[in-house]
Amino acid sequence: MYQWRKFEFFEKKLAGKCSIPEEVSGRIECCSSGRGKVVIGCDDGTVSFLDRGLNFSYGFQAHSSVLFLQQLKQRNYLVTIGEDEQITPQQSAMCLKVFDLDRMQSEGTSSSSTSPDCIGILRIFTNQFPEAKITSFLVLEEAPPILLIAIGLDNGCIYCIKGDIARERITRFKLEVDNLSDKSQSSVTGLGFRVDGQALQLFAVTPSSVSLFILQNKTSRGQTLDQIGSNANSVAMSDRSELIIGRPEAVYFYEVDGRGPCWAFEGQKKFLGWFRGYLLCVIADQRNGNDTFNIYDLKNRLIAHSLVVKEVSHMLCEWGNIILIMADKSALCIGEKDMESKLDMLFKKNLYTVAINLVQSQQADAAATAEVLRKYGDHLYSKQDYDEAMAQYIHTIGHLEPSYVIQKFLDAQRIYNLTNYLEKLHEKGLASKDHTTLLLNCYTKLKDVDKLNVFIKSEDGFGEHKFDVETAIRVCRATNYHEHAMYVAKKAGKHEWYLKILLEDLGRYEEALQYISSLEPSQAGVTVKEYGKILVEHKPVETIEILMRLCTEDGESSKRGAANVAYLNMLPSPVDFLNIFIHHLPSLMDFLEKYTNKVKDSPAQVEIHNTLLELYLSNDLSFSSISQASNGEDLNLRARSGATATSRSGSNGKFIADGKDSNKEKDRLEKQEKGLRLLKSAWPSELEHPLYDVDLAIILCEMNEFKEGLLYLYEKMKLYKEVIACYMQAHDHEGLIACCKRLGDSGKGGDPTLWADLLKYFGELGEDCSKEVKEVLTYIERDDILPPIIVLQTLSRNPCLTLSVIKDYIARKLEQESKLIEEDRRAIEKYQETTSAMRKEIQDLRTNARIFQLSKCTACTFTLDLPAVHFMCIHSFHQRCLGDNEKECPVCAPEYKSVLETKRSLEQNSKDQDRFFQQVKSSKDGFSVIAEYFGKGVISKTSSGPTGGS
């Protein structure tokens, strides 16, 4: 035991100088602690309470002489045993009292002197329990207010009192240790309660034995654990409910099944105690007669404190300190140093193992333990003991920043130790992406494929969801461990990474296509968008097949009837995959053609048609990859035939060039034919708007000089003038006239003004076009589109035309005009005669008398008799036949009303300017409309303001 290291983990408190206050005047018989106070019982019967600084708080007279006392923990009670005044000789003076320290009462007449309320007094000895000397005393609080009191006697008996003493509801029973022949060795020197679940056990110590009693409700059984014992004050209980007894040769620990560990500390053990896992011993040294107070850390095998003391009379623990009361009433208060101070002491001596054991035994927090382990690791690292240093660093995982350790072993180039540390990080799930990267780099640098397999592929190992998947894939790719990277990607469902490795690193296109086919449609669509460019470049046909399955679900959509449109809306659209064909436009055209042939009512058909039109009508797209994608034999055959043709022609490759140009022209024409078919099929007659962007189609046709498509679009949009402008631009006179014949017929919804534009074109042509002009004049004359003067003015601008071109036209027009003039002259004469007759009649009515000679009523044809009414129109009526209408002739009134209504309507129309101008604009001859308005007298009236004179 002398090899145990000694440390000063404790220090004196209260400046090392304290004593029992003078108010405690008697000889100290017993002490107890608890609930923040120290209780002292003296031979004069007083009980004194001391505070934290061992200052006197208050005291009271409990007995004539106090022998034992105990401060309870659960309730603020004090239990004492002492001698009182003997009432009768038959009754013992020894009694037990229970004081309630929360209830104070005044003593006598003085209000300044108070004492706690005594709630129970009990005589210990009765007829059934004869009197003997009390040697030990112990109280157990079962469930307040139930107390279990054990009183050890010098005759080997233990009196037990159980119950509520305040209410005098108690039971008594007696326990006896094994009968010994020597009664002097049967005194009960120590007691200890042990609660094991529902079981209640009592240790009893005599100088020659250790016994254990199992206390039950009605019975109790005892057994002897050992044939050696101990004297008074050398008995204590540990925090694990072990019984500790001290003998001169050693300190013994006892469990319920017998003797346990034994610690050979030499010297007479005057006092034993237990404090926070430390064993407290006051040992008498026989060689020099001094007493030594030692504090033992049994787990770490060290002496935490050692101090030579005077004669100790009592030892107790309170306020986290150890209090020693000496025989001369001096006292010593010893407290434990803080953990940091203890560790600093150990670090200075490089006692790291002791420091580690210390923090672990005292259940320090994990962070403090990790800090000690770190310092120990640093110490070992400085001694270049890398393996042991790493063993310490591994224990700090979770508290010490990993970069601290990693940097050290990177600098030391200890890759094996570093690998071990990184593995432990991943085991505990504390590794970051950088740690995964570093660990995989370690494996690959060591070429340790077995560990790499365990890390990557182990189902139950620490590789399962304990590392960053993308980091692992990236590192394995960078170090050419492609199979491992693919395994991780596939297991983690990282389809993009799996395909990236297959396509970019390994070039296994067939396998990539098979993998995509095995995925769910949504996942397959995502991966094709990501890596479709590579697949189209190397496997265009197979890629298009996959896209067709994705976008059409292998034709299932055609079987869904009314739900077809809704189903198509759920499928991916071909437009989503256009970007993968950016460098392979022929494959895109092939894909879209197959899709449109299969799906007729796609939600994205407008975008698809737009794309196809751009592919069909663009002249600068390269379609050489189509022939390359077909087969190699074709290419070889073409190469051989081309070489033969070159050798035969001897024209330095000119023949081949001509062949390529002809093929290119053929491809262009085929595409334009497809484009025209698409323009027509996607704009059926029943639709007002086409299934493509018309503006885009027109731009494409103009950019690529696709005349047929442009003419079709202009004609569908009823832009007839733009149609003939195309023919004019191409100087296609025959087509121009044919177009005007088709589009200039107003009976079929055409625009007759096209002939006027056509005549203007020929008038400004500057070349001989007599034949065409004659044909145009025929239609102009037939539909009376232009006046002759306009025709003459238009054709006069072309110096290449002669008068013979329009001679017949002018002659016919002059003849027609002459006939019209003659008809108009006859009409004028007729209207003049009618006007003269009307004026004469008006004048006659104004100047001459009108004679009425009718003898019959015009209405009833009976003989006219009075009263009669005669009208100026020579109609006469009975007054009774007219009724109330006597102001106008019933026969002539309708005709007059019709004329008046017509006049009123014309006057109203004269105010509607929009209608007038619309008639002028839509009429072939606007002058005739104006003349008609003047002829009807609608616009002949003018209003003039008042003049100044005349």
Side-chain angles (χ1 to χ4, degrees):
M1 302 305 296
Y2 294 104
Q3 297 178 356
W4 282 27
R5 295 178 179 270
K6 292 185 178 181
F7 299 95
E8 293 299 323
F9 288 166
F10 288 77
E11 60 185 355
K12 294 180 181 180
K13 301 291 183 178
L14 303 178
K17 297 179 180 179
C18 55
S19 60
I20 302 302
E22 296 179 353
E23 287 83 350
V24 183
S25 58
R27 182 168 58 88
I28 299 175
E29 293 289 342
C30 52
C31 292
S32 181
S33 64
R35 302 183 69 91
K37 285 185 168 50
V38 170
V39 187
I40 297 177
C42 299
D43 60 350
D44 58 0
T46 60
V47 174
S48 302
F49 290 86
L50 309 183
D51 61 11
R52 191 181 186 91
L54 295 184
N55 299 313
F56 181 79
S57 292
Y58 68 93
F60 67 95
Q61 189 75 32
H63 300 271
S64 299
S65 175
V66 180
L67 300 179
F68 298 92
L69 58 81
Q70 183 174 335
Q71 169 77 55
L72 303 187
K73 301 293 175 63
Q74 296 185 38
R75 304 187 71 177
N76 196 14
Y77 284 180
L78 177 67
V79 181
T80 63
I81 292 180
E83 293 182 354
D84 283 349
E85 295 180 0
Q86 192 169 7
I87 301 175
T88 62
Q90 290 79 14
Q91 289 183 340
S92 172
M94 195 69 64
C95 65
L96 180 145
K97 292 183 180 181
V98 179
F99 295 93
D100 186 351
L101 302 180
D102 290 331
R103 295 164 58 183
M104 306 298 289
Q105 61 182 4
S106 300
E107 290 184 350
T109 58
S110 175
S111 61
S112 62
S113 177
T114 60
S115 64
D117 186 11
C118 180
I119 62 174
I121 301 175
L122 187 65
R123 296 294 174 178
I124 297 175
F125 303 113
T126 63
N127 295 331
Q128 291 82 10
F129 298 91
E131 185 176 357
K133 182 181 179 181
I134 299 175
T135 55
S136 58
F137 167 70
L138 187 61
V139 180
L140 174 67
E141 301 175 77
E142 285 193 19
I146 304 301
L147 303 178
L148 176 57
I149 302 172
I151 302 172
L153 306 175
D154 63 349
N155 57 8
C157 293
I158 303 172
Y159 291 170
C160 295
I161 303 171
K162 182 177 182 180
D164 185 355
I165 298 177
R167 297 184 180 181
E168 297 184 356
R169 296 176 182 176
I170 61 172
T171 58
R172 298 172 182 256
F173 56 93
K174 180 171 63 174
L175 306 175
E176 292 186 6
V177 298
D178 293 341
N179 293 326
L180 300 174
S181 57
D182 189 359
K183 290 296 182 181
S184 64
Q185 297 294 317
S186 63
S187 175
V188 179
T189 57
L191 296 171
F193 281 113
R194 173 188 173 94
V195 179
D196 187 5
Q198 297 296 326
L200 181 60
Q201 300 160 344
L202 176 64
F203 288 103
V205 181
T206 66
S208 59
S209 68
V210 177
S211 302
L212 176 67
F213 295 92
I214 300 175
L215 306 179
Q216 297 179 348
N217 292 333
K218 296 181 179 181
T219 61
S220 59
R221 295 179 291 108
Q223 59 178 340
T224 302
L225 300 180
D226 203 348
Q227 295 298 329
I228 61 173
S230 177
N231 295 321
N233 297 327
S234 296
V235 178
M237 293 293 292
S238 72
D239 52 9
R240 292 189 299 273
S241 297
E242 298 170 307
L243 178 69
I244 310 171
I245 65 174
R247 294 181 59 82
E249 70 280 5
V251 174
Y252 299 91
F253 284 74
Y254 288 88
E255 293 278 359
V256 293
D257 54 352
R259 185 191 297 178
C262 171
W263 303 91
F265 302 138
E266 295 183 356
Q268 182 184 357
K269 314 304 183 297
K270 288 188 173 182
F271 286 92
L272 281 184
W274 190 264
F275 174 75
R276 293 181 178 177
Y278 293 101
L279 176 65
L280 311 180
C281 289
V282 176
I283 302 176
D285 192 344
Q286 302 295 336
R287 292 171 295 182
N288 53 24
N290 293 330
D291 290 348
T292 304
F293 174 63
N294 290 335
I295 302 176
Y296 297 99
D297 185 347
L298 301 179
K299 185 174 182 179
N300 298 314
R301 294 179 178 270
L302 56 87
I303 300 176
H305 188 69
S306 182
L307 179 67
V308 176
V309 295
K310 295 181 287 185
E311 183 180 356
V312 179
S313 62
H314 297 87
M315 180 173 65
L316 46 87
C317 301
E318 185 64 25
W319 309 301
N321 296 328
I322 304 167
I323 302 171
L324 300 179
I325 299 177
M326 309 303 174
D328 59 358
K329 287 191 177 182
S330 63
L332 189 62
C333 188
I334 300 173
E336 187 176 10
K337 295 181 179 178
D338 59 85
M339 180 62 71
E340 185 177 356
S341 300
K342 292 189 286 186
L343 292 177
D344 287 342
M345 189 185 308
L346 295 173
F347 291 154
K348 290 177 182 179
K349 298 179 181 181
N350 292 330
L351 298 175
Y352 294 97
T353 55
V354 177
I356 294 170
N357 293 332
L358 180 65
V359 294
Q360 291 177 346
S361 63
Q362 297 197 358
Q363 298 179 349
D365 60 346
T369 305
E371 179 64 17
V372 176
L373 292 169
R374 181 194 67 80
K375 291 185 177 182
Y376 187 29
D378 292 346
H379 173 68
L380 295 171
Y381 182 88
S382 64
K383 295 169 60 178
Q384 297 186 353
D385 188 356
Y386 298 113
D387 294 337
E388 190 60 32
M390 178 53 74
Q392 303 306 320
Y393 287 134
I394 286 174
H395 292 301
T396 66
I397 292 176
H399 303 281
L400 179 63
E401 174 60 37
S403 59
Y404 178 85
V405 180
I406 293 171
Q407 184 63 44
K408 282 180 172 292
F409 285 86
L410 281 175
D411 294 342
Q413 298 183 354
R414 299 288 297 181
I415 190 169
Y416 291 99
N417 298 120
L418 182 59
T419 303
N420 186 24
Y421 182 78
L422 294 170
E423 286 175 348
K424 299 298 182 183
L425 269 181
H426 284 81
E427 281 182 17
K428 297 185 178 182
L430 300 173
S432 65
K433 296 179 181 179
D434 295 332
H435 299 148
T436 302
T437 303
L438 189 56
L439 178 58
L440 291 174
N441 282 327
C442 290
Y443 285 151
T444 55
K445 192 170 183 179
L446 293 171
K447 300 187 183 303
D448 194 341
V449 180
D450 294 335
K451 279 196 172 183
L452 184 61
N453 288 336
V454 171
F455 183 76
I456 295 295
K457 299 182 179 181
S458 176
E459 293 293 333
D460 300 323
F462 54 83
E464 184 75 3
H465 304 299
K466 293 292 182 67
F467 57 84
D468 185 74
V469 172
E470 292 191 5
T471 302
I473 296 172
R474 192 179 298 109
V475 175
C476 290
R477 280 190 70 201
T479 53
N480 295 326
Y481 284 88
H482 297 115
E483 295 298 330
H484 293 80
M486 289 169 58
Y487 178 87
V488 174
K490 188 172 184 179
K491 187 175 181 181
K494 300 289 184 180
H495 309 300
E496 296 84 355
W497 280 102
Y498 188 87
L499 290 171
K500 194 178 186 72
I501 299 167
L502 277 178
L503 297 173
E504 297 181 3
D505 298 337
L506 304 178
R508 287 149 57 172
Y509 308 108
E510 291 285 351
E511 187 176 344
L513 288 168
Q514 293 175 3
Y515 184 77
I516 292 175
S517 300
S518 66
L519 296 176
E520 292 292 328
S522 59
Q523 290 291 340
V526 173
T527 54
V528 170
K529 288 179 185 177
E530 183 73 20
Y531 302 105
K533 293 180 183 178
I534 302 175
L535 293 172
V536 169
E537 180 180 0
H538 296 88
K539 297 289 180 181
V541 177
E542 293 83 353
T543 305
I544 291 174
E545 289 178 359
I546 290 179
L547 289 176
M548 287 296 295
R549 287 198 297 271
L550 286 175
C551 297
T552 64
E553 279 298 323
D554 204 17
E556 288 296 324
S557 61
S558 61
K559 303 177 184 179
R560 294 181 179 262
N564 189 23
V565 175
Y567 179 72
L568 286 174
N569 285 328
M570 298 170 59
L571 294 176
S573 171
V575 180
D576 300 336
F577 303 99
L578 295 183
N579 64 313
I580 70 176
F581 295 96
I582 190 68
H583 300 301
H584 303 279
L585 299 180
S587 299
L588 174 60
M589 187 174 70
D590 184 26
F591 168 51
L592 294 180
E593 285 177 346
K594 289 182 178 179
Y595 181 81
T596 52
N597 291 335
K598 199 167 192 178
V599 180
K600 301 300 183 183
D601 51 357
S602 170
Q605 55 186 343
V606 174
E607 292 85 354
I608 295 173
H609 289 159
N610 289 342
T611 307
L612 275 175
L613 283 174
E614 189 168 358
L615 294 171
Y616 288 151
L617 302 181
S618 297
N619 294 327
D620 56 349
L621 299 182
S622 174
F623 283 78
S624 59
S625 58
I626 292 181
S627 59
Q628 294 176 3
S630 56
N631 53 41
E633 296 178 1
D634 246 359
L635 292 176
N636 295 333
L637 180 61
R638 292 182 183 180
R640 289 198 297 269
S641 62
T644 305
T646 304
S647 61
R648 291 177 180 177
S649 64
S651 58
N652 296 326
K654 182 178 180 181
F655 182 80
I656 295 178
D658 293 341
K660 288 182 178 179
D661 291 341
S662 62
N663 290 336
K664 185 175 181 181
E665 181 64 20
K666 183 179 179 181
D667 289 341
R668 188 181 69 82
L669 294 176
E670 289 179 356
K671 289 193 299 168
Q672 287 186 351
E673 184 179 352
K674 290 181 179 179
L676 185 59
R677 284 202 300 268
L678 178 59
L679 288 174
K680 294 180 179 179
S681 63
W683 197 346
S685 57
E686 64 270 11
L687 291 182
E688 182 180 356
H689 300 288
L691 299 176
Y692 52 81
D693 189 343
V694 180
D695 296 334
L696 174 64
I698 292 175
I699 292 173
L700 290 173
C701 292
E702 288 183 347
M703 289 176 59
N704 299 281
E705 300 178 355
F706 183 37
K707 178 181 176 182
E708 290 81 358
L710 200 59
L711 291 175
Y712 173 78
L713 291 171
Y714 283 155
E715 188 171 338
K716 287 290 289 186
M717 298 173 68
K718 300 186 183 303
L719 300 174
Y720 300 138
K721 294 186 181 297
E722 281 76 5
V723 174
I724 65 172
C726 292
Y727 285 103
M728 291 176 182
Q729 187 177 2
H731 295 281
D732 185 0
H733 296 171
E734 183 178 353
L736 186 59
I737 294 175
C739 178
C740 285
K741 288 179 182 179
R742 188 176 72 255
L743 303 178
D745 190 353
S746 59
K748 297 180 180 179
D751 185 5
T753 61
L754 296 178
W755 293 108
D757 295 337
L758 187 56
L759 185 67
K760 181 180 179 183
Y761 166 72
F762 286 126
E764 297 176 350
L765 188 58
E767 61 182 49
D768 188 7
C769 51
S770 302
K771 180 182 177 182
E772 291 83 356
V773 170
K774 288 180 180 180
E775 189 172 1
V776 172
L777 288 176
T778 302
Y779 290 97
I780 290 176
E781 182 181 1
R782 185 191 71 181
D783 296 333
D784 194 17
I785 297 172
L786 291 174
I789 188 64
I790 301 299
V791 173
L792 290 174
Q793 290 176 353
T794 302
L795 294 179
S796 65
R797 300 190 186 109
N798 191 342
C800 298
L801 295 177
T802 62
L803 187 60
S804 60
V805 176
I806 60 172
K807 181 177 68 174
D808 295 339
Y809 168 76
I810 294 298
R812 288 191 298 272
K813 277 295 182 182
L814 288 175
E815 184 179 355
Q816 291 176 2
E817 293 293 336
S818 297
K819 290 181 180 179
L820 291 174
I821 291 172
E822 185 62 28
E823 291 176 358
D824 290 341
R825 183 178 293 113
R826 286 196 295 268
I828 289 171
E829 290 176 355
K830 180 181 177 182
Y831 290 144
Q832 286 178 347
E833 290 176 358
T834 304
T835 303
S836 297
M838 288 182 177
R839 286 176 178 172
K840 184 178 180 181
E841 184 179 0
I842 292 171
Q843 184 64 26
D844 187 35
L845 289 173
R846 287 178 176 177
T847 59
N848 299 324
R850 175 73 68 173
I851 299 174
F852 301 98
Q853 297 178 348
L854 290 177
S855 59
K856 293 183 179 181
C857 176
T858 304
C860 63
T861 69
F862 289 105
T863 302
L864 191 66
D865 55 5
L866 296 177
V869 179
H870 304 279
F871 290 97
M872 299 299 290
C873 58
I874 314 299
H875 291 143
S876 300
F877 300 90
H878 292 116
Q879 189 175 11
R880 63 179 179 272
C881 291
L882 290 176
D884 297 332
N885 189 9
E886 299 179 355
K887 294 184 179 182
E888 55 183 14
C889 174
V891 177
C892 301
E895 183 180 356
Y896 293 154
K897 285 183 179 179
S898 173
V899 173
L900 292 174
E901 187 66 29
T902 303
K903 182 180 179 182
R904 190 180 302 109
S905 175
L906 291 174
E907 290 177 352
Q908 184 68 26
N909 290 340
S910 67
K911 299 177 182 179
D912 190 355
Q913 300 178 4
D914 293 338
R915 181 179 178 184
F916 169 73
F917 287 111
Q918 181 65 30
Q919 289 181 359
V920 173
K921 186 177 181 180
S922 60
S923 175
K924 296 179 181 179
D925 187 5
F927 180 77
S928 61
V929 176
I930 298 174
E932 182 182 1
Y933 268 74
F934 271 105
K936 293 178 179 179
V938 176
I939 58 176
S940 60
K941 297 180 181 179
T942 58
S943 61
S944 58
T947 58
S950 105

